[in-house]
């Protein structure tokens, strides 16, 4: 959106009447929904990790055989966290990265990283729980 | 850009403000959030190692059980609790409550102290449960 040096149009004139981006509240709203969901999920997650701490392989496998706690709670925590952290990191990138190509690549990298972390965690929990 | 546009005022940035607790908590909320973003790799590594089998699980258990591993996990726990309480504080503010000066100072202090207290309590319980 670099301003053409030869143009007499002002920055306001170029964008006026184009309308909003149509998704202004989407990001902020999803941030809040995931935040609220993560309050109980994080408390349960800490409880699970504290129970797993120092346990050997067979004990950990035994615990994950329980389908609700930890398995389902862990899946909900990982999925919600992955989305929440993707939204949060995008805000940080948009605040500090002003170069347009670097910003676009960073937001894409953020999305891919969050998806990778989320799905790797989900598949691991499913395998631990179901096999 | 024209000369007129170049000289338009910019909003003042962080360095012009006197450091305040609420401002520090805001910065800490963002830093802990970014730390947890990276820290998510620790959780995924542990789960993938456990799903992979006893050999890779033993490596992960050794890493997390080492002194450095324990220090990193302690820091992760604090970041998680600090960010959790910071999130609850922001949720309270979203409803319109706690915006006046004494309330927001109290909420900031509660976040700072609560994050440390919950971390110590959880680690104490986790060690006692072993």
């Amino acid at each position: 959106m670099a301003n053409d040096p030869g143009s007499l149009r002002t920055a306001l004139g170029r964008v006026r009447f184009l309308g909003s981006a149509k998704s202004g509240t989407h990001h902020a709203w999803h941030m809040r929904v995931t935040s609220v969901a993560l309050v109980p999920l994080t408390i349960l997650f800490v409880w699970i990790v504290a129970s797993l701490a120092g346990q050997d392989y067979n004990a950990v496998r035994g615990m994950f055989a329980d389908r609700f706690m930890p398995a389902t709670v862990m899946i909900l925590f990982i999925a919600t966290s992955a989305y929440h952290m993707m939204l949060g990191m995008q805000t940080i990138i948009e605040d500090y990265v002003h170069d347009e190509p670097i910003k676009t690549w960073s937001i894409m990298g953020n999305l891919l990283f969050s998806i990778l972390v989320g799905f790797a965690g989900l598949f691991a929990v499913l395998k631990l729980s179901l096999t | 850009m024209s000369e007129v546009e170049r000289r338009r005022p910019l909003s003042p940035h962080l360095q012009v403000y006197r450091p305040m607790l609420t401002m520090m908590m805001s910065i800490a909320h963002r830093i802990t959030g970014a730390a947890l973003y990276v820290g998510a790799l620790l959780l995924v590594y542990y789960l993938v190692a456990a799903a992979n089998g006893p050999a890779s699980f033993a490596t992960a258990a050794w890493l997390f059980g080492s002194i450095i591993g324990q220090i990193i996990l302690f820091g992760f726990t604090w970041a998680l609790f600090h960010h959790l309480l910071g999130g609850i504080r922001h949720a309270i503010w979203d409803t319109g409550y706690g915006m006046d000066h004494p309330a927001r100072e109290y909420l900031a202090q509660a976040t700072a102290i609560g994050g440390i207290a919950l971390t110590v309590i959880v680690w104490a319980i986790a060690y006692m449960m072993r």
Side-chain angles (χ1 to χ4, degrees):
Chain A
M1 289 279 281
N3 209 349
D4 177 9
S7 172
L8 292 173
R9 298 197 71 190
T10 63
L12 177 63
R14 281 189 294 113
V15 297
R16 210 168 194 179
F17 310 119
L18 291 178
S20 74
K22 301 290 193 297
S23 60
T25 58
H26 173 266
H27 185 110
W29 174 243
H30 283 206
M31 201 72 193
R32 275 150 186 81
V33 172
T34 52
S35 299
V36 170
L38 279 167
V39 173
L41 287 173
T42 303
I43 293 166
L44 293 172
F45 166 72
V46 170
W47 178 257
I48 291 166
V49 173
S51 321
L52 288 168
Q55 302 283 350
D56 63 19
Y57 179 73
N58 289 326
V60 170
R61 291 303 307 258
M63 283 177 65
F64 272 97
D66 192 321
R67 296 287 156 79
F68 178 67
M69 177 91 174
T72 303
V73 170
M74 206 66 154
I75 284 170
L76 290 171
F77 176 78
I78 291 167
T80 315
S81 297
Y83 187 48
H84 182 84
M85 75 185 212
M86 188 275 285
L87 292 170
M89 186 53 75
Q90 186 174 329
T91 302
I92 294 177
I93 292 166
E94 286 166 351
D95 278 357
Y96 301 128
V97 183
H98 302 302
D99 182 86
E100 206 59 37
I102 298 174
K103 183 164 81 181
T104 307
W105 283 110
S106 303
I107 289 171
M108 195 186 283
N110 170 45
L111 181 57
L112 296 176
F113 176 83
S114 304
I115 290 171
L116 182 74
V117 163
F119 275 93
L122 292 179
F123 278 119
V125 172
L126 286 174
K127 193 186 173 200
L128 278 171
S129 180
L130 299 176
T131 60
Chain B
M1 222 185 274
S2 74
E3 187 60 30
V4 176
E5 272 182 301
R6 200 179 300 134
R7 279 165 48 206
R8 287 170 71 179
L10 294 165
S11 64
H13 200 53
L14 292 175
Q15 59 269 23
V16 305
Y17 295 109
R18 180 171 54 84
M20 286 179 292
L21 185 64
T22 45
M23 166 186 167
M24 291 303 165
M25 286 299 110
S26 173
I27 295 167
H29 191 72
R30 177 160 284 194
I31 291 173
T32 50
L36 292 167
Y37 183 91
V38 180
L41 287 171
L42 297 175
L43 170 65
V44 168
Y45 168 62
Y46 175 85
L47 291 170
V48 169
N52 243 348
S56 54
F57 179 82
T59 310
W62 175 80
L63 274 171
F64 287 125
S66 68
I67 303 283
I68 295 168
Q70 292 282 291
I71 291 169
I72 291 169
L73 285 182
F74 190 83
F76 180 88
T77 314
W78 172 75
L80 189 65
F81 276 127
H82 190 94
H83 200 78
L84 173 68
L85 294 177
I88 293 170
R89 189 168 50 107
H90 279 285
I92 294 168
W93 282 339
D94 281 349
T95 65
Y97 290 101
M99 300 291 284
D100 57 300
H101 183 256
R104 63 175 186 261
E105 285 298 311
Y106 169 76
L107 284 171
Q109 288 168 4
T111 306
I113 297 164
I116 296 166
L118 286 172
T119 306
V120 172
I121 290 166
V122 162
W123 274 72
I125 292 171
Y127 265 95
M128 280 190 289
M129 283 196 334
R130 280 196 197 181

